[in-house]
Structure formats: C-alpha cells, structure tokens
Amino acid sequence: HTVKGNIVSARDGHVINSGNVFLTNTLDHSLSANQTLTEEDASFTFSFILEGDYSLTAPMSFDVDFVPLPHIGSSPGPLQYDIHARHMYGSASMPLHVDGDIDGLTIAVPEPTPKEKQFYEDAVRQQQQRDTAPQ
C-alpha cells in the first residue's frame, strides 16, 4: 500500500517543510520506511507498505527557508540550498493501521519541549564551532 501525508503545526495546521518521518512496525519495532522532507516536496510518501499496525513518528521538524546557492562551474548540476530555520517544532508520534492506501494523512507536531530546544541549540553551537575551526 501507499501512505501519503504531511507534517503540520499543531498550533495552526500549516504544513511544515523540513523534517523526517519514520514508519515503524509495532509488532517487531522494525523500521518500515523513512523519508526526509525536501525543498521540492514538503510531503511524505511511503510505498509498498504491508497491511498492519505502525507507529508514525516525526522527530523535531522545522519551518525553513530554502535559499538557492549560486551555481559554480560550467557543467549543470542539481540545485544546492542554504537552509535557514525559522521555527522549530517538537516530536510527535501516532498509531497508524494500514489496510489500504492512505492519502492526506497528517501528523501534528507541537512546540518543542525545553529539552528538545536545548538539544537543537547545542547541536547548532557544535556545528558553528566546527565551521569556524581552523582546517
């Protein structure tokens, strides 16, 4: 079966355009599918999903601006983006029973907990330190 949907803000229902979505089988806790939302498609689609019970999880998600970077060189290549996070959301999980195709599924993500916010800020700080360290 095919499962399609979006991550949305629990606060106002708008579609979130950056994050990851995981589909985990509740019987054996195996990862059945995962997808990262991209600048081209803010929705997720899982194909070839067997009938059964799953957990759909969206760990920390973000509203972001995708800013195209200038192309370097003479040969064409895929667009590259600089990503600017505007707002962070916390984690959400929901049960999902699959017995046919599902379209228009939404997983609503809340505001981040203080622990999630601190984790993100620490990761950004570490990345900035790596970016500015002498090579």
Side-chain angles (χ1 to χ4, degrees), residues 32-77:
S32 298
N34 68 311
Q35 186 170 352
T36 300
L37 307 183
T38 67
E39 64 282 350
E40 284 95 18
D41 191 0
S43 63
F44 59 87
T45 301
F46 301 136
S47 300
F48 308 108
I49 303 301
L50 299 175
E51 290 185 8
D53 293 313
Y54 297 87
S55 176
L56 183 68
T57 303
M60 294 185 291
S61 304
F62 299 86
D63 287 321
V64 301
D65 292 324
F66 292 102
V67 180
L69 294 172
H71 181 71
I72 299 173
S74 59
S75 61

Side-chain angles (χ1 to χ4, degrees), residues 102-123:
I102 300 172
D103 194 2
L105 182 66
T106 59
I107 182 165
V109 291
E111 293 299 308
T113 65
K115 187 175 182 178
E116 288 170 326
K117 192 169 189 171
Q118 185 62 51
F119 176 82
Y120 173 69
E121 289 169 354
D122 290 347

Side-chain angles (χ1 to χ4, degrees), residues 3-50:
V3 176
K4 296 180 182 182
N6 293 94
I7 301 174
V8 299
S9 165
R11 182 174 32 92
D12 64 10
H14 77 273
V15 174
I16 308 297
N17 69 346
S18 180
N20 295 302
V21 184
F22 299 95
L23 189 65
T24 307
N25 187 300
T26 57
L27 200 57
D28 62 6
H29 304 288
S30 63
L31 181 63
S32 298
N34 68 311
Q35 186 170 352
T36 300
L37 307 183
T38 67
E39 64 282 350
E40 284 95 18
D41 191 0
S43 63
F44 59 87
T45 301
F46 301 136
S47 300
F48 308 108
I49 303 301
L50 299 175

